[in-house]
Amino acid sequence: MVIGDARTRILDAAEELFAGGGYEATPTAVIAKLARVPKGLVFHYFPRKIDVLVALVDERTLVEETREVDALPGDPAGTLSKLARRLPLRASPSMRRILFREADTHRSVKERLGRLNGELIRRARFALELALPGQRGETARLEVAAATFAAVLLYQENLCQLTGHQIDPDAVAELIAHSLI
Amino acid sequence: MVIGDARTRILDAAEELFAGGGYEATPTAVIAKLARVPKGLVFHYFPRKIDVLVALVDERTLVEETREVDALPGDPAGTLSKLARRLPLRASPSMRRILFREADTHRSVKERLGRLNGELIRRARFALELALPGQRGETARLEVAAATFAAVLLYQENLCQLTGHQIDPDAVAELIAHSLI
Amino acid sequence: MVIGDARTRILDAAEELFAGGGYEATPTAVIAKLARVPKGLVFHYFPRKIDVLVALVDERTLVEETREVDALPGDPAGTLSKLARRLPLRASPSMRRILFREADTHRSVKERLGRLNGELIRRARFALELALPGQRGETARLEVAAATFAAVLLYQENLCQLTGHQIDPDAVAELIAHSLI
Amino acid sequence: MVIGDARTRILDAAEELFAGGGYEATPTAVIAKLARVPKGLVFHYFPRKIDVLVALVDERTLVEETREVDALPGDPAGTLSKLARRLPLRASPSMRRILFREADTHRSVKERLGRLNGELIRRARFALELALPGQRGETARLEVAAATFAAVLLYQENLCQLTGHQIDPDAVAELIAHSLI
DNA sequence: CATGAATGAGACTTCATTCAT
DNA sequence: CATGAATGAAGTCTCATTCAT
């Protein structure tokens, strides 16, 4: 067996189970079973159950923080749409679900989520600044527009599954763009 | 001691504890202790633990569903602001927290949250229709505007606490209003 | 079943097992089995395993602290012998064994043992003072004699079992008495 | 790294840990960590955990058994004091602690402790015989005196730490000497 | 109705020991 | 020899739920 294989299988199993039933509802024994490792090995890699969650978030969600934003000058709607299509979050659908659902479970999850939100807002604002170069001085409006767009994107990722209401980011992008002209 | 008094105290205790530590992390014994009732009495009123949560949501969160909306004709921003200031959710801060946090715990919680979202969207759209009587036919844009505003309000209620980013509903109302003119 | 019966049986079982194999080597499950109660009931009465030991020491060892000492004037040896025959420790042989063996396990056990030793010394000295009324001023010698006798008695209770060497308290009493004349 | 170096470090670590928290409470993994050796190596040198304790006692406590005793003729008190000042136990303070604390853990520890006690008594008696050459025939009294002194010395080594009562061996030596004249 | 002792399944965690490399 | 991943039995503790009184 390749080194790290067991550890990876444990994280795979945990990702699947945490996304499905939630952290609290997932016994470590079930993680071990799904990962086809003995119960004790879970402890060997992750001394406490919470360490599995922390490792997942640490290793399997990456908030891409960058200064470079792809803006289409003169096209704020297109710029936001583009941003929406590629969230600065490298994570599987399962990990996205975990990130939102378990925000209360551990500080590290909440912090990661906060970073994502912050990055989203920063990008949206920066993109809008580039797309609308003439609007210097209207900082406040850009700020609100960026925050609104970020809120919609996170809503899309999280609450929307709970409430059952879809929302089209492109349409919101257009709405916001329209409000800034 | 009046009958029902105990029941009320149990719900009070559960509300506080569920909001603080979450449903799963709150043992019934702790609820009983905080409510100053014997452990057995909790199960007398609520045969299963989940029934406490269901009762809380049933009895302590009221989504006000109505057709009557207070609109200010010609002032869509003011109309949305007004809506934001009085969410159609009669619930304590604790219950609001529970509603969002425990949406995964039981179908009834998720359903209540969905109703809140639906009502929010319906109200926002209806209010916008009244505030902008000339825009018949632009249904799609109004729909998006309403959904966006609802998303921001729910974000405000929920994720904002997790991510630490505030957002001003009034400014968003103005943004959206501006986009509709 | 009489109230307290189960709790008593748990303590009975623990006393027997702790005396036999030691605290660490005795699983709570075995205590429960010997007490003929379900495992969970042990926790019901004693939230932590250590609480069983603490309760045993608290409730089943009594260090009799008193000012009144039975002295035979003019007969220091007889006085000490008498003291040796009735240690100021109301406890079963099992509890005596536990008291000495588990002194490191919990502060409360060590403290109780310290109280026993202190009482022993105090009594021995007081008894000697009464038995030898003429020796005012020889406080230091009485003190040493009392401590020595206490040491021998505790040795008798504890180390003697470990080392396999018996020691006759009466002979030591006579030795000490002889040294004081 | 020299072979045996690791073994020594393991024993060093175990000595420190057993003295501090006790044998049962010290996991082999912690020993390995403190010794800066891999876990498996502990079991390479000591197939069972108990073998570490046995090796410690075997190799690091030496009960000096000898016939030659340094007696001061005519000065029994001085003779006993001298004995007290150099117990026939070559062992670090940690090992002394282990010897007394773990006497129940393994036969070999108890046996070593018994040997120490026996040697103590033998020496004390022999020393007294030499110091008081005139008292042939008074064997019984010498025996009691020797046992008493041994008891005090062991008490000093062990229980005294637990009970918090100091005792001065020199004073006891004088007391005993006085009783033999 | 009210009470808290009783129940037991199962959770997390510990850890001595093995063994393939 | 050296290594640390692997193993699994067993330990402590949790807690929803029942039920006799």
Side-chain angles (χ1 to χ4, degrees), chain A residues 63-97:
Chain A
V63 176
E64 295 162 358
E65 291 168 332
T66 176
R67 286 276 135 207
E68 296 175 36
V69 174
D70 223 3
L72 308 175
D75 181 6
T79 301
L80 290 180
S81 278
K82 217 169 172 180
L83 201 161
R85 227 162 290 126
R86 219 171 66 67
L87 239 55
L89 174 64
R90 222 174 289 163
S92 67
S94 299
M95 281 311 307
R96 284 159 189 253
R97 184 134 183 66

mmCIF file of all heavy atoms in Angstrom, chain A residues 63-97:
data_model
loop_
_atom_site.group_PDB
_atom_site.id
_atom_site.type_symbol
_atom_site.label_atom_id
_atom_site.label_comp_id
_atom_site.label_asym_id
_atom_site.label_seq_id
_atom_site.Cartn_x
_atom_site.Cartn_y
_atom_site.Cartn_z
ATOM 1 N N VAL A 63 -8.919 28.979 -1.228
ATOM 2 C CA VAL A 63 -9.449 30.266 -1.643
ATOM 3 C C VAL A 63 -8.330 30.969 -2.401
ATOM 4 O O VAL A 63 -7.284 31.282 -1.839
ATOM 5 C CB VAL A 63 -9.897 31.102 -0.428
ATOM 6 C CG1 VAL A 63 -10.351 32.481 -0.881
ATOM 7 C CG2 VAL A 63 -11.005 30.389 0.318
ATOM 8 N N GLU A 64 -8.561 31.187 -3.678
ATOM 9 C CA GLU A 64 -7.518 31.789 -4.519
ATOM 10 C C GLU A 64 -7.494 33.296 -4.303
ATOM 11 O O GLU A 64 -8.386 34.015 -4.745
ATOM 12 C CB GLU A 64 -7.791 31.481 -5.984
ATOM 13 C CG GLU A 64 -7.689 29.985 -6.299
ATOM 14 C CD GLU A 64 -8.376 29.651 -7.601
ATOM 15 O OE1 GLU A 64 -8.955 30.561 -8.212
ATOM 16 O OE2 GLU A 64 -8.336 28.464 -7.993
ATOM 17 N N GLU A 65 -6.478 33.712 -3.608
ATOM 18 C CA GLU A 65 -6.380 35.144 -3.342
ATOM 19 C C GLU A 65 -5.368 35.767 -4.291
ATOM 20 O O GLU A 65 -4.196 35.420 -4.287
ATOM 21 C CB GLU A 65 -6.004 35.371 -1.875
ATOM 22 C CG GLU A 65 -7.160 34.979 -0.955
ATOM 23 C CD GLU A 65 -6.780 34.892 0.510
ATOM 24 O OE1 GLU A 65 -5.605 34.612 0.797
ATOM 25 O OE2 GLU A 65 -7.662 35.105 1.359
ATOM 26 N N THR A 66 -5.826 36.655 -5.074
ATOM 27 C CA THR A 66 -4.947 37.247 -6.092
ATOM 28 C C THR A 66 -5.333 38.699 -6.344
ATOM 29 O O THR A 66 -6.431 39.128 -6.001
ATOM 30 C CB THR A 66 -5.062 36.476 -7.419
ATOM 31 O OG1 THR A 66 -4.263 37.145 -8.382
ATOM 32 C CG2 THR A 66 -6.490 36.449 -7.926
ATOM 33 N N ARG A 67 -4.406 39.403 -6.933
ATOM 34 C CA ARG A 67 -4.665 40.815 -7.275
ATOM 35 C C ARG A 67 -5.152 40.916 -8.719
ATOM 36 O O ARG A 67 -5.834 41.862 -9.084
ATOM 37 C CB ARG A 67 -3.369 41.638 -7.120
ATOM 38 C CG ARG A 67 -2.973 41.918 -5.676
ATOM 39 C CD ARG A 67 -3.710 43.133 -5.126
ATOM 40 N NE ARG A 67 -4.203 42.836 -3.793
ATOM 41 C CZ ARG A 67 -5.277 43.437 -3.270
ATOM 42 N NH1 ARG A 67 -5.951 44.344 -3.943
ATOM 43 N NH2 ARG A 67 -5.694 43.133 -2.061
ATOM 44 N N GLU A 68 -4.762 39.930 -9.510
ATOM 45 C CA GLU A 68 -5.103 40.000 -10.933
ATOM 46 C C GLU A 68 -6.542 39.598 -11.175
ATOM 47 O O GLU A 68 -6.959 38.506 -10.834
ATOM 48 C CB GLU A 68 -4.192 39.067 -11.728
ATOM 49 C CG GLU A 68 -2.725 39.471 -11.675
ATOM 50 C CD GLU A 68 -1.854 38.442 -12.379
ATOM 51 O OE1 GLU A 68 -2.299 37.882 -13.400
ATOM 52 O OE2 GLU A 68 -0.746 38.177 -11.878
ATOM 53 N N VAL A 69 -7.288 40.477 -11.739
ATOM 54 C CA VAL A 69 -8.678 40.162 -12.042
ATOM 55 C C VAL A 69 -8.907 40.377 -13.522
ATOM 56 O O VAL A 69 -8.402 41.320 -14.123
ATOM 57 C CB VAL A 69 -9.623 41.054 -11.225
ATOM 58 C CG1 VAL A 69 -11.060 40.826 -11.659
ATOM 59 C CG2 VAL A 69 -9.466 40.753 -9.739
ATOM 60 N N ASP A 70 -9.674 39.460 -14.072
ATOM 61 C CA ASP A 70 -9.960 39.494 -15.498
ATOM 62 C C ASP A 70 -11.183 40.386 -15.739
ATOM 63 O O ASP A 70 -12.320 39.973 -15.565
ATOM 64 C CB ASP A 70 -10.285 38.063 -15.966
ATOM 65 C CG ASP A 70 -9.597 37.761 -17.275
ATOM 66 O OD1 ASP A 70 -8.847 38.630 -17.751
ATOM 67 O OD2 ASP A 70 -9.830 36.670 -17.803
ATOM 68 N N ALA A 71 -10.954 41.620 -16.119
ATOM 69 C CA ALA A 71 -12.087 42.519 -16.324
ATOM 70 C C ALA A 71 -12.264 42.816 -17.805
ATOM 71 O O ALA A 71 -11.311 42.809 -18.577
ATOM 72 C CB ALA A 71 -11.853 43.815 -15.559
ATOM 73 N N LEU A 72 -13.510 43.014 -18.196
ATOM 74 C CA LEU A 72 -13.811 43.425 -19.557
ATOM 75 C C LEU A 72 -14.151 44.909 -19.506
ATOM 76 O O LEU A 72 -15.262 45.269 -19.087
ATOM 77 C CB LEU A 72 -15.001 42.630 -20.095
ATOM 78 C CG LEU A 72 -14.910 41.111 -19.967
ATOM 79 C CD1 LEU A 72 -16.213 40.446 -20.423
ATOM 80 C CD2 LEU A 72 -13.734 40.586 -20.779
ATOM 81 N N PRO A 73 -13.246 45.776 -19.886
ATOM 82 C CA PRO A 73 -13.483 47.216 -19.797
ATOM 83 C C PRO A 73 -14.755 47.602 -20.527
ATOM 84 O O PRO A 73 -15.011 47.163 -21.651
ATOM 85 C CB PRO A 73 -12.242 47.825 -20.486
ATOM 86 C CG PRO A 73 -11.193 46.787 -20.352
ATOM 87 C CD PRO A 73 -11.907 45.479 -20.425
ATOM 88 N N GLY A 74 -15.569 48.373 -19.849
ATOM 89 C CA GLY A 74 -16.812 48.838 -20.459
ATOM 90 C C GLY A 74 -17.949 47.840 -20.363
ATOM 91 O O GLY A 74 -19.076 48.126 -20.750
ATOM 92 N N ASP A 75 -17.658 46.659 -19.818
ATOM 93 C CA ASP A 75 -18.710 45.636 -19.714
ATOM 94 C C ASP A 75 -18.793 45.079 -18.285
ATOM 95 O O ASP A 75 -18.352 43.959 -18.011
ATOM 96 C CB ASP A 75 -18.425 44.511 -20.711
ATOM 97 C CG ASP A 75 -19.495 43.435 -20.667
ATOM 98 O OD1 ASP A 75 -20.505 43.613 -19.960
ATOM 99 O OD2 ASP A 75 -19.308 42.394 -21.332
ATOM 100 N N PRO A 76 -19.314 45.860 -17.367
ATOM 101 C CA PRO A 76 -19.382 45.395 -15.972
ATOM 102 C C PRO A 76 -20.212 44.131 -15.830
ATOM 103 O O PRO A 76 -19.845 43.237 -15.063
ATOM 104 C CB PRO A 76 -20.015 46.575 -15.237
ATOM 105 C CG PRO A 76 -20.678 47.399 -16.292
ATOM 106 C CD PRO A 76 -19.918 47.187 -17.563
ATOM 107 N N ALA A 77 -21.278 44.017 -16.560
ATOM 108 C CA ALA A 77 -22.122 42.812 -16.450
ATOM 109 C C ALA A 77 -21.329 41.581 -16.861
ATOM 110 O O ALA A 77 -21.297 40.570 -16.146
ATOM 111 C CB ALA A 77 -23.366 42.970 -17.318
ATOM 112 N N GLY A 78 -20.672 41.662 -17.973
ATOM 113 C CA GLY A 78 -19.868 40.542 -18.429
ATOM 114 C C GLY A 78 -18.754 40.226 -17.440
ATOM 115 O O GLY A 78 -18.429 39.058 -17.185
ATOM 116 N N THR A 79 -18.190 41.255 -16.877
ATOM 117 C CA THR A 79 -17.113 41.060 -15.906
ATOM 118 C C THR A 79 -17.601 40.281 -14.684
ATOM 119 O O THR A 79 -16.967 39.318 -14.236
ATOM 120 C CB THR A 79 -16.560 42.433 -15.468
ATOM 121 O OG1 THR A 79 -16.062 43.134 -16.618
ATOM 122 C CG2 THR A 79 -15.439 42.256 -14.453
ATOM 123 N N LEU A 80 -18.738 40.692 -14.171
ATOM 124 C CA LEU A 80 -19.287 39.983 -12.998
ATOM 125 C C LEU A 80 -19.680 38.550 -13.361
ATOM 126 O O LEU A 80 -19.441 37.611 -12.601
ATOM 127 C CB LEU A 80 -20.497 40.743 -12.440
ATOM 128 C CG LEU A 80 -20.216 42.087 -11.744
ATOM 129 C CD1 LEU A 80 -21.508 42.720 -11.237
ATOM 130 C CD2 LEU A 80 -19.231 41.911 -10.587
ATOM 131 N N SER A 81 -20.279 38.405 -14.515
ATOM 132 C CA SER A 81 -20.675 37.061 -14.952
ATOM 133 C C SER A 81 -19.468 36.137 -15.007
ATOM 134 O O SER A 81 -19.525 34.983 -14.569
ATOM 135 C CB SER A 81 -21.314 37.134 -16.348
ATOM 136 O OG SER A 81 -22.664 37.516 -16.245
ATOM 137 N N LYS A 82 -18.404 36.682 -15.535
ATOM 138 C CA LYS A 82 -17.177 35.908 -15.621
ATOM 139 C C LYS A 82 -16.708 35.479 -14.226
ATOM 140 O O LYS A 82 -16.314 34.333 -13.998
ATOM 141 C CB LYS A 82 -16.091 36.780 -16.260
ATOM 142 C CG LYS A 82 -15.161 36.036 -17.167
ATOM 143 C CD LYS A 82 -14.313 37.022 -17.940
ATOM 144 C CE LYS A 82 -13.231 36.337 -18.734
ATOM 145 N NZ LYS A 82 -12.434 37.328 -19.481
ATOM 146 N N LEU A 83 -16.781 36.420 -13.314
ATOM 147 C CA LEU A 83 -16.382 36.140 -11.941
ATOM 148 C C LEU A 83 -17.268 35.046 -11.352
ATOM 149 O O LEU A 83 -16.794 34.139 -10.653
ATOM 150 C CB LEU A 83 -16.499 37.424 -11.113
ATOM 151 C CG LEU A 83 -15.704 37.534 -9.820
ATOM 152 C CD1 LEU A 83 -15.583 39.009 -9.433
ATOM 153 C CD2 LEU A 83 -16.295 36.738 -8.694
ATOM 154 N N ALA A 84 -18.550 35.147 -11.652
ATOM 155 C CA ALA A 84 -19.494 34.172 -11.099
ATOM 156 C C ALA A 84 -19.206 32.778 -11.634
ATOM 157 O O ALA A 84 -19.384 31.777 -10.932
ATOM 158 C CB ALA A 84 -20.923 34.572 -11.436
ATOM 159 N N ARG A 85 -18.756 32.737 -12.889
ATOM 160 C CA ARG A 85 -18.560 31.427 -13.500
ATOM 161 C C ARG A 85 -17.338 30.703 -12.924
ATOM 162 O O ARG A 85 -17.237 29.503 -13.009
ATOM 163 C CB ARG A 85 -18.445 31.588 -15.030
ATOM 164 C CG ARG A 85 -19.336 30.574 -15.769
ATOM 165 C CD ARG A 85 -19.574 30.999 -17.195
ATOM 166 N NE ARG A 85 -20.445 32.176 -17.291
ATOM 167 C CZ ARG A 85 -20.121 33.301 -17.944
ATOM 168 N NH1 ARG A 85 -18.969 33.395 -18.555
ATOM 169 N NH2 ARG A 85 -20.976 34.310 -17.981
ATOM 170 N N ARG A 86 -16.428 31.488 -12.370
ATOM 171 C CA ARG A 86 -15.267 30.822 -11.749
ATOM 172 C C ARG A 86 -15.005 31.415 -10.367
ATOM 173 O O ARG A 86 -14.206 32.336 -10.219
ATOM 174 C CB ARG A 86 -14.023 30.937 -12.633
ATOM 175 C CG ARG A 86 -13.203 29.632 -12.612
ATOM 176 C CD ARG A 86 -12.090 29.619 -13.636
ATOM 177 N NE ARG A 86 -11.078 30.612 -13.344
ATOM 178 C CZ ARG A 86 -10.265 30.561 -12.272
ATOM 179 N NH1 ARG A 86 -10.365 29.574 -11.407
ATOM 180 N NH2 ARG A 86 -9.376 31.498 -12.089
ATOM 181 N N LEU A 87 -15.709 30.871 -9.420
ATOM 182 C CA LEU A 87 -15.555 31.292 -8.037
ATOM 183 C C LEU A 87 -14.105 31.073 -7.600
ATOM 184 O O LEU A 87 -13.497 30.084 -7.982
ATOM 185 C CB LEU A 87 -16.465 30.452 -7.138
ATOM 186 C CG LEU A 87 -17.498 31.211 -6.313
ATOM 187 C CD1 LEU A 87 -18.350 32.086 -7.218
ATOM 188 C CD2 LEU A 87 -18.367 30.256 -5.528
ATOM 189 N N PRO A 88 -13.549 31.986 -6.816
ATOM 190 C CA PRO A 88 -12.155 31.787 -6.375
ATOM 191 C C PRO A 88 -12.081 30.749 -5.265
ATOM 192 O O PRO A 88 -11.473 30.957 -4.225
ATOM 193 C CB PRO A 88 -11.751 33.176 -5.874
ATOM 194 C CG PRO A 88 -13.033 33.790 -5.419
ATOM 195 C CD PRO A 88 -14.125 33.219 -6.285
ATOM 196 N N LEU A 89 -12.737 29.628 -5.528
ATOM 197 C CA LEU A 89 -12.760 28.559 -4.524
ATOM 198 C C LEU A 89 -12.487 27.246 -5.234
ATOM 199 O O LEU A 89 -13.335 26.743 -5.980
ATOM 200 C CB LEU A 89 -14.139 28.501 -3.846
ATOM 201 C CG LEU A 89 -14.354 27.337 -2.874
ATOM 202 C CD1 LEU A 89 -13.414 27.444 -1.690
ATOM 203 C CD2 LEU A 89 -15.799 27.293 -2.418
ATOM 204 N N ARG A 90 -11.307 26.726 -5.009
ATOM 205 C CA ARG A 90 -10.998 25.433 -5.601
ATOM 206 C C ARG A 90 -11.416 24.368 -4.605
ATOM 207 O O ARG A 90 -10.740 24.144 -3.590
ATOM 208 C CB ARG A 90 -9.499 25.338 -5.930
ATOM 209 C CG ARG A 90 -9.267 24.680 -7.282
ATOM 210 C CD ARG A 90 -7.819 24.697 -7.684
ATOM 211 N NE ARG A 90 -7.338 26.037 -8.045
ATOM 212 C CZ ARG A 90 -6.043 26.349 -8.120
ATOM 213 N NH1 ARG A 90 -5.129 25.460 -7.838
ATOM 214 N NH2 ARG A 90 -5.683 27.577 -8.471
ATOM 215 N N ALA A 91 -12.513 23.743 -4.868
ATOM 216 C CA ALA A 91 -13.053 22.741 -3.939
ATOM 217 C C ALA A 91 -14.119 21.943 -4.659
ATOM 218 O O ALA A 91 -14.814 22.457 -5.540
ATOM 219 C CB ALA A 91 -13.659 23.420 -2.715
ATOM 220 N N SER A 92 -14.223 20.671 -4.268
ATOM 221 C CA SER A 92 -15.246 19.820 -4.861
ATOM 222 C C SER A 92 -16.618 20.266 -4.376
ATOM 223 O O SER A 92 -16.738 20.979 -3.379
ATOM 224 C CB SER A 92 -15.007 18.379 -4.432
ATOM 225 O OG SER A 92 -15.228 18.280 -3.036
ATOM 226 N N PRO A 93 -17.665 19.864 -5.060
ATOM 227 C CA PRO A 93 -19.023 20.176 -4.582
ATOM 228 C C PRO A 93 -19.225 19.723 -3.132
ATOM 229 O O PRO A 93 -19.817 20.441 -2.331
ATOM 230 C CB PRO A 93 -19.911 19.388 -5.546
ATOM 231 C CG PRO A 93 -19.115 19.282 -6.800
ATOM 232 C CD PRO A 93 -17.674 19.176 -6.360
ATOM 233 N N SER A 94 -18.700 18.546 -2.788
ATOM 234 C CA SER A 94 -18.818 18.070 -1.405
ATOM 235 C C SER A 94 -18.168 19.058 -0.440
ATOM 236 O O SER A 94 -18.750 19.430 0.576
ATOM 237 C CB SER A 94 -18.132 16.713 -1.245
ATOM 238 O OG SER A 94 -18.735 15.751 -2.063
ATOM 239 N N MET A 95 -16.966 19.467 -0.773
ATOM 240 C CA MET A 95 -16.254 20.370 0.137
ATOM 241 C C MET A 95 -16.960 21.717 0.244
ATOM 242 O O MET A 95 -16.972 22.337 1.318
ATOM 243 C CB MET A 95 -14.808 20.573 -0.334
ATOM 244 C CG MET A 95 -13.871 19.433 0.012
ATOM 245 S SD MET A 95 -13.940 18.876 1.736
ATOM 246 C CE MET A 95 -13.695 20.397 2.638
ATOM 247 N N ARG A 96 -17.555 22.153 -0.850
ATOM 248 C CA ARG A 96 -18.319 23.399 -0.770
ATOM 249 C C ARG A 96 -19.460 23.267 0.221
ATOM 250 O O ARG A 96 -19.689 24.117 1.076
ATOM 251 C CB ARG A 96 -18.899 23.746 -2.151
ATOM 252 C CG ARG A 96 -17.852 24.297 -3.091
ATOM 253 C CD ARG A 96 -18.291 24.155 -4.539
ATOM 254 N NE ARG A 96 -17.177 24.489 -5.398
ATOM 255 C CZ ARG A 96 -17.093 25.622 -6.111
ATOM 256 N NH1 ARG A 96 -18.082 26.490 -6.090
ATOM 257 N NH2 ARG A 96 -16.028 25.874 -6.829
ATOM 258 N N ARG A 97 -20.143 22.137 0.112
ATOM 259 C CA ARG A 97 -21.257 21.883 1.026
ATOM 260 C C ARG A 97 -20.763 21.868 2.473
ATOM 261 O O ARG A 97 -21.366 22.463 3.361
ATOM 262 C CB ARG A 97 -21.880 20.537 0.655
ATOM 263 C CG ARG A 97 -23.111 20.188 1.448
ATOM 264 C CD ARG A 97 -24.226 19.675 0.540
ATOM 265 N NE ARG A 97 -25.449 19.390 1.306
ATOM 266 C CZ ARG A 97 -26.150 20.321 1.894
ATOM 267 N NH1 ARG A 97 -25.790 21.595 1.825
ATOM 268 N NH2 ARG A 97 -27.245 19.996 2.571
#
